[in-house]
Amino acid sequence: MTDLHHSTEHVQAPPEQFNFAQFLLERNAGHGERPAFIDDAGTLSYGQLAQRVRTLAAGLRALGIRREERVLLLMQDCNDWPVSFLGAMYAGLVPVAVNTLLTADDYAYMLEHSRAQAVLVSGALLPTLTAALIKSDHEVSKVIVSKPVADLHPAEIEFEAFIKAHQPMAKAAQTKGDDPGFWLYSSGSTGRPKGTVHSHANPYWSSMLYGKNTLKLTEKDVCFSAAKLFFAYGLGNGLTFPMTVGATAILMAERPTPVATFARMTGRVGGLKPTVFFGAPTGFAGMLAHPELPSKEQVAMRLVSSAGEALPAELGERFHKHFGVHIVDGIGSTEMLHIYLSNRPHDVRYGTTGWPVPGYDVELRGDDGQPVADGEPGDLYTRGPSAALMYWGNREKSRETFQGGWTKSGDKYIRNADGTFTYGGRSDDMLKVSGIYVSPFEVEATLIQHPAVLEAAVIGVADSDGLTKTKAFVVLKSGAQASEEILKAFVKDKLAPYKYPRMIEFVPELPKTATGKIQRFKLRAQEAQR
């Protein structure tokens, strides 16, 4: 069923001539002394940010890089990241923000695919980039290296030296809202990642519709995101959302382990306690299971956001019981830039992903392409003003995903009577057992309710008759014990009998993406080889 179209009239559309970096700098011109970003090395005020963005923009243009040409951004979260991203956009160039956890082969592909003319890179990642440049047939004009910096080659220059060598760009490139603004690579489960092209206007829409109007972020907030800036989710959380409202963002270069996360949540690192925390279910589970979990009194969180994978109700309720703050769960995608279906800060329905974000439409369709009735599983389609322009150089996948005004999400959902939507798993992860759809997520969410279970992943495996049966891979909490029979009985007691996992394998850890999503396809491949 199609949700009634939510007008975007309550958010004024950006003008036709629109440069997103210019918009953010001008929007914050009145409070230059306010902290914009705080990383492990120090604080960058809004005034300093504006100066550095304009100076970097001038430097990139001085290299001879032309409008709409790409610049690869391979950098750990630090104050140089927003300077690099916005500096490129200010100059009318297109930053290509890439995952910092990939291999030299991946970066070689991305360099060739994007035809990046320069690279902005963290010193710690320079060896991997160097290996990628050797593997690649593509040449770049300059490699600009953010700290830490060791010995540099002639084609490499230190970030600070590059900044100091130029004067600020007098005015922003006269881009249009529909012009390519930046790329993000989608983390597909199979094949090469797809270069998702977003416009200058897209982050304006996601920041206004979700960050400002739904989450109600304000200039008084201090934002901290476990998801990194190179992810669509993290880019909104840690850069576009806080800057749109004039808030402060805490950036963390290291992995978001529970200990590292706690250090920022309590203000031990960074000095300020975040009022808004953006995380993911896997991270929340790890935090709640950790012996150093801080108390409610040690943090200042007024709002917590979750995305990346559906939030099990039990996990949200345990988090709320401990910290006294609800987790606002939503779903977004690289293709839509951020969250378009979400719970609301004042109205959280655990076990659901909430309602369409005002400004977006959502529709569930069956295998025949027609809308399904409430209570029936369907493929999730969405439409809204932040949808990507295309996948670069991939017409087939672009047509498959971007269908007219609609974007196919690849997720299965059920629409409930109250208008909320309940997650059913990825379309290619849904299982049909005895002719009935079984959601792996539903079984996983039930398994982790058992006090001995830390994480679980469910896939379908064929039995001797070629029929699909469910198998669960379970990670137990440290020191905890549970047998296969006990967990099967636990699920049978809570779900319809056909949904319980016929097989359970105990494993030390589950394969995951860099965002913490469980990679069920790897478990399926592992089973196929047995």
Side-chain angles (χ1 to χ4, degrees):
M1 182 179 289
T2 306
D3 199 82
L4 291 175
H5 182 64
H6 293 289
S7 171
T8 55
E9 290 177 1
H10 58 292
V11 174
Q12 185 176 358
E16 181 183 2
Q17 206 82 23
F18 183 74
N19 183 296
F20 183 67
Q22 179 186 22
F23 162 77
L24 290 181
L25 297 189
E26 291 180 351
R27 194 171 176 85
N28 292 289
H31 41 255
E33 298 302 314
R34 182 181 298 162
F37 296 97
I38 301 173
D39 68 5
D40 297 341
T43 299
L44 185 68
S45 71
Y46 273 104
Q48 293 168 326
L49 174 68
Q51 180 80 0
R52 289 171 73 81
V53 164
R54 294 186 172 107
T55 306
L56 181 74
L60 292 172
R61 290 295 289 271
L63 292 177
I65 306 174
R66 296 169 297 183
R67 285 276 302 272
E68 295 186 16
E69 288 186 327
R70 271 75 63 193
V71 175
L72 198 77
L73 176 49
L74 173 58
M75 198 176 284
Q76 294 169 332
D77 283 16
C78 65
N79 291 345
D80 288 344
W81 205 107
V83 171
S84 302
F85 184 80
L86 297 175
M89 292 185 75
Y90 194 87
L93 312 181
V94 180
V96 179
V98 298
N99 189 330
T100 58
L101 304 174
L102 302 180
T103 66
D105 285 339
D106 293 317
Y107 299 134
Y109 168 76
M110 291 171 175
L111 285 164
E112 293 173 359
H113 182 246
S114 67
R115 305 182 197 116
Q117 297 300 300
V119 182
L120 294 137
V121 62
S122 290
L125 301 170
L126 184 57
T128 309
L129 173 68
T130 302
L133 289 167
I134 292 170
K135 289 173 178 284
S136 171
D137 292 329
H138 179 74
E139 294 184 4
V140 300
S141 60
K142 187 68 73 174
V143 174
I144 303 159
V145 186
S146 175
K147 51 189 177 296
V149 180
D151 295 332
L152 299 180
H153 297 294
E156 301 165 351
I157 184 170
E158 197 264 331
F159 194 93
E160 285 302 317
F162 188 71
I163 289 276
K164 290 175 182 176
H166 298 92
Q167 293 298 313
M169 194 166 164
K171 63 177 183 177
Q174 296 300 294
T175 54
K176 294 187 176 183
D178 284 343
D179 284 350
F182 61 96
W183 291 17
L184 300 171
Y185 275 96
S186 67
S187 54
S189 59
T190 58
R192 289 289 196 181
K194 299 179 290 292
T196 310
V197 182
H198 279 285
S199 71
H200 273 266
N202 284 1
Y204 168 87
W205 284 114
S206 64
S207 297
M208 288 294 193
L209 294 174
Y210 194 65
K212 190 170 186 290
N213 285 8
T214 302
L215 296 183
K216 308 294 185 185
L217 300 180
T218 76
E219 63 182 29
K220 296 180 181 179
D221 279 314
V222 177
C223 301
F224 173 50
S225 174
K228 300 300 184 181
L229 290 169
F230 59 76
F231 295 119
Y233 180 48
L235 180 63
N237 305 341
L239 196 161
T240 68
F241 288 8
M243 283 197 69
T244 294
V245 300
T248 299
I250 294 173
L251 302 179
M252 179 175 72
E254 63 186 300
R255 288 179 56 247
T257 62
V259 171
T261 301
F262 298 156
R264 275 78 181 177
M265 288 172 64
T266 58
R268 294 199 306 273
V269 174
L272 293 179
K273 293 183 179 181
T275 59
V276 183
F277 176 61
F278 300 87
T282 299
F284 294 131
M287 288 165 58
L288 291 173
H290 200 278
E292 296 179 27
L293 179 69
S295 66
K296 175 184 176 181
E297 291 71 29
Q298 292 176 286
V299 301
M301 294 183 296
R302 70 167 187 86
L303 175 68
V304 177
S305 164
S306 178
E309 56 187 333
L311 177 75
E314 185 265 349
L315 194 57
E317 287 160 358
R318 280 201 292 131
F319 190 95
H320 176 251
K321 183 178 180 180
H322 182 84
F323 285 112
V325 59
H326 281 295
I327 298 177
V328 180
D329 184 35
I331 184 174
S333 67
T334 305
E335 291 75 12
M336 293 302 292
L337 189 56
H338 214 277
I339 291 171
Y340 53 83
L341 179 64
S342 177
N343 282 271
R344 304 159 182 159
H346 62 279
D347 193 359
V348 171
R349 308 277 176 95
Y350 285 129
T352 81
T353 316
W355 301 263
V357 172
Y360 294 88
D361 291 333
V362 165
E363 184 171 285
L364 300 184
R365 302 177 188 174
D367 293 339
D368 58 359
Q370 297 302 306
V372 300
D374 285 3
E376 294 293 322
D379 292 307
L380 177 68
Y381 287 75
T382 184
R383 65 180 174 187
S386 64
L389 301 175
M390 61 177 164
Y391 296 130
W392 182 265
N394 195 333
R395 191 179 188 193
E396 180 183 358
K397 284 293 184 183
S398 293
R399 292 173 117 182
E400 183 182 314
T401 299
F402 306 107
Q403 302 180 11
W406 294 92
T407 300
K408 184 178 182 181
S409 74
D411 296 289
K412 288 278 190 184
Y413 264 87
I414 292 172
R415 188 179 191 272
N416 305 309
D418 63 356
T420 61
F421 288 75
T422 298
Y423 182 67
R426 291 291 296 172
S427 298
D428 54 3
D429 284 335
M430 288 292 286
L431 307 174
K432 247 186 179 177
V433 180
S434 302
I436 308 172
Y437 271 121
V438 174
S439 161
F441 174 76
E442 183 182 25
V443 182
E444 292 163 4
T446 303
L447 280 165
I448 69 168
Q449 291 178 37
H450 192 281
V453 176
L454 177 64
E455 294 178 317
V458 172
I459 64 169
V461 297
D463 64 11
S464 57
D465 296 319
L467 301 174
T468 299
K469 295 291 183 284
T470 49
K471 177 173 181 177
F473 294 82
V474 171
V475 179
L476 295 176
K477 293 177 181 175
S478 178
Q481 292 184 333
S483 68
E484 185 173 353
E485 291 71 25
I486 287 175
L487 293 183
K488 285 181 179 178
F490 183 80
V491 175
K492 280 183 184 179
D493 187 53
K494 294 181 176 294
L495 297 179
Y498 69 88
K499 295 182 178 180
Y500 86 93
R502 301 310 197 270
M503 295 156 275
I504 294 179
E505 181 177 334
F506 295 98
V507 294
E509 60 181 1
L510 297 173
K512 296 173 188 170
T513 66
T515 50
K517 294 180 187 177
I518 295 169
Q519 295 173 307
R520 295 189 190 87
F521 74 94
K522 287 191 175 180
L523 296 173
R524 288 195 290 266
Q526 176 183 306
E527 282 298 304
Q529 293 174 358
R530 290 182 172 177

